[in-house]
């Protein structure tokens, strides 16, 4: 690694002293504890990293109009001024001290995104949402190395639409007008298919409690299984939708978790699932880096069977998810 690249990822000595003394298993459990940070609502305070940039500015305008509690943003070298009538801070640490945000929305180019994520981890922001795609895999390996050394910060993304509690808090790029506050939790690898599931559940009057886009990155900060853990415990969530696709093993881990959950409770929440990519050709990336079927990957139909065997109701496309879920809840 070059000296300049090393500087991008260098964390303070005090950070490493705090977090490198525990075992790998314990560190994994500690990071799992941050799943609770995904519970966003109308009281959630959000900042932007890259606040004065074109993409963040446009997104922030829409998100403020939506009613999300934006409390400022970070743009190095521009601290002390205002943008969109909100304070701009030099660093995330400064923003944490003066604005106490619960979430940082990372709106910086992919080549700088890992540095921005790590800055938020060091500042102990409870939730970081990164929407950028094409973050180098080596960068994300380092981010994960750091994530697993701490128990304060949860990452959603990268390469994802973000997370939303409809009519309360939006952090991301999802087309929010079709989202309605309700009782269905949705976790999805695919952003586009999650939008269709939202439309389907809105059209039948169910709405959504939280919609979580884990994204299609090879190394996501939050997985399908993490989303399920959130929804299993969330009192506002009465039904769960899981959308997987080709690439990786997230769906198989989700199936194992669903099986254990259904064994552990007398009244499990209904779960509707689908896995996209049944006709995808081998070796061709379908939209983003994680959606690729190779000879080492489990085909979509096998993933769908695993979810079905675990107790999820499998549907062929998201357009009927709302109708299917409504029938399950009524029965």
């Amino acid at each position: 690694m070059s000296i300049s690249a090393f500087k991008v990822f260098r964390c303070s000595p005090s950070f490493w002293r705090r977090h490198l003394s525990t075992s790998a298993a314990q560190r994994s459990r500690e990071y799992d504890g941050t799943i609770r940070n995904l519970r966003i609502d109308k009281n959630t305070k959000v900042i932007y990293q890259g606040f004065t940039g074109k993409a963040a500015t446009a997104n922030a305008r829409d998100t403020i109009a939506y009613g999300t509690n934006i409390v400022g943003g970070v743009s190095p070298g521009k601290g002390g001024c205002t943008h969109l009538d909100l304070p701009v801070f030099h660093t995330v640490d400064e923003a944490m001290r003066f604005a106490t945000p619960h979430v940082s929305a990372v709106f910086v180019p992919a080549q700088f995104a890992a540095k921005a994520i790590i800055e938020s981890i060091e500042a102990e922001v409870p939730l970081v949402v990164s929407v950028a795609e094409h973050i180098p895999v080596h960068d994300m390996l380092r981010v994960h190395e750091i994530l697993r050394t701490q128990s304060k910060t949860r990452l959603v993304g990268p390469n994802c639409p973000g997370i939303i509690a409809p009519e309360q808090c939006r952090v991301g790029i999802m087309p929010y007008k079709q989202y309605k506050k309700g009782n269905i939790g949705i976790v999805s690898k695919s952003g586009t298919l999650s939008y269709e599931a939202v439309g389907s559940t809105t059209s039948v009057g169910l709405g959504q409690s939280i919609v979580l886009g884990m994204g299609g990155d090879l190394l996501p900060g939050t997985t399908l299984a993490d989303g399920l853990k959130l929804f299993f415990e969330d009192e506002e969530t009465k039904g769960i939708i899981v959308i997987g696709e080709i690439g990786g093993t997230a769906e198989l881990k989700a199936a194992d978790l669903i099986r254990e959950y259904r064994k552990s409770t007398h009244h499990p929440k209904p779960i509707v699932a689908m896995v996209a990519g049944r006709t995808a050709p081998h070796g061709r990336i379908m939209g983003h880096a994680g959606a690729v079927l190779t000879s080492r990957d489990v085909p979509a139909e096998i993933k769908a069977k695993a979810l079905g065997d675990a107790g999820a109701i499998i549907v062929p496309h998201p357009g009927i998810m709302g109708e299917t879920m409504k029938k399950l809840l009524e029965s």
Side-chain angles (χ1 to χ4, degrees):
M1 181 185 296
S2 67
I3 296 297
S4 60
F6 175 77
K7 289 179 179 178
V8 167
F9 298 113
R10 185 175 59 197
C11 291
S12 64
S14 61
F15 178 88
W16 290 114
R17 282 196 298 270
R18 288 198 305 269
H19 302 300
L20 285 180
S21 59
T22 54
S23 68
Q26 183 179 346
R27 292 199 301 268
S28 181
R29 289 194 297 271
E30 288 176 348
Y31 184 60
D32 283 348
T34 64
I35 289 172
R36 62 181 178 271
N37 298 354
L38 295 167
R39 290 191 176 94
I40 59 174
D41 57 31
K42 63 181 180 180
N43 298 312
T44 299
K45 294 188 289 185
V46 181
I47 61 169
Y48 280 80
Q49 287 177 260
F51 187 35
T52 58
K54 182 178 180 181
T57 299
N59 185 271
R61 284 198 180 102
D62 287 344
T63 302
I64 292 168
Y66 189 65
T68 301
N69 186 15
I70 307 298
V71 295
V74 175
S75 286
K78 298 182 180 180
C81 66
T82 61
H83 182 61
L84 303 180
D85 295 324
L86 293 167
V88 180
F89 303 97
H90 288 292
T91 66
V92 178
D93 184 68
E94 183 182 17
M96 281 295 288
R97 285 188 281 117
F98 293 101
T100 61
H102 304 106
V103 185
S104 178
V106 178
F107 274 73
V108 300
Q111 64 266 38
F112 306 118
K115 180 181 178 181
I117 293 168
I118 292 169
E119 184 182 357
S120 282
I121 297 171
E122 286 194 276
E124 298 186 345
V125 181
L127 181 61
V128 180
V129 178
S130 176
V131 300
E133 61 179 320
H134 305 308
I135 298 178
V137 174
H138 190 275
D139 289 7
M140 285 309 301
L141 284 169
R142 181 55 61 90
V143 168
H144 274 264
E145 180 182 347
I146 296 169
L147 277 176
R148 302 294 171 178
T149 67
Q150 55 84 51
S151 59
K152 301 293 185 182
T153 302
R154 162 69 45 172
L155 172 64
V156 172
N159 189 12
C160 75
I163 182 171
I164 183 172
E167 301 175 29
Q168 300 179 78
C169 181
R170 174 214 193 201
V171 189
I173 58 173
M174 63 289 292
Y176 54 86
K177 291 185 178 180
Q178 67 173 342
Y179 289 69
K180 296 295 181 183
K181 186 177 180 181
N183 59 15
I184 306 302
I186 301 174
V187 59
S188 175
K189 265 190 179 181
S190 166
T192 303
L193 295 181
S194 73
Y195 308 154
E196 293 193 32
V198 165
S200 182
T201 51
T202 294
S203 67
V204 298
L206 293 176
Q208 307 85 39
S209 53
I210 290 178
V211 181
L212 170 62
M214 69 164 275
D217 198 77
L218 291 169
L219 296 167
T222 295
T223 66
L224 296 179
D226 294 333
L228 286 169
K229 291 175 184 176
L230 171 71
F231 297 140
F232 290 160
E233 302 296 328
D234 183 47
E235 294 183 358
E236 294 184 7
T237 299
K238 306 303 180 184
I240 302 168
I241 287 175
V242 182
I243 302 176
E245 63 185 12
I246 55 170
T249 59
E251 297 79 4
L252 302 182
K253 294 176 182 177
D256 290 340
L257 189 63
I258 291 169
R259 184 178 294 103
E260 293 302 316
Y261 164 70
R262 291 179 60 82
K263 288 179 181 178
S264 67
T265 179
H266 293 296
H267 301 287
K269 298 175 182 181
I271 300 172
V272 174
M274 72 160 286
V275 180
R278 297 194 182 206
T279 61
H282 277 259
R284 181 176 298 175
I285 295 175
M286 305 300 289
H288 50 72
V292 57
L293 182 63
T294 70
S295 58
R296 300 185 300 274
D297 288 314
V298 179
E301 58 268 24
I302 300 300
K303 292 183 177 183
K305 184 177 187 304
L307 289 165
D309 290 345
I313 304 301
I314 305 301
V315 296
H317 62 83
I320 62 172
M321 284 182 162
E323 180 184 344
T324 303
M325 181 60 75
K326 188 172 185 179
K327 290 179 180 178
L328 290 171
L329 290 171
E330 290 174 346
S331 63

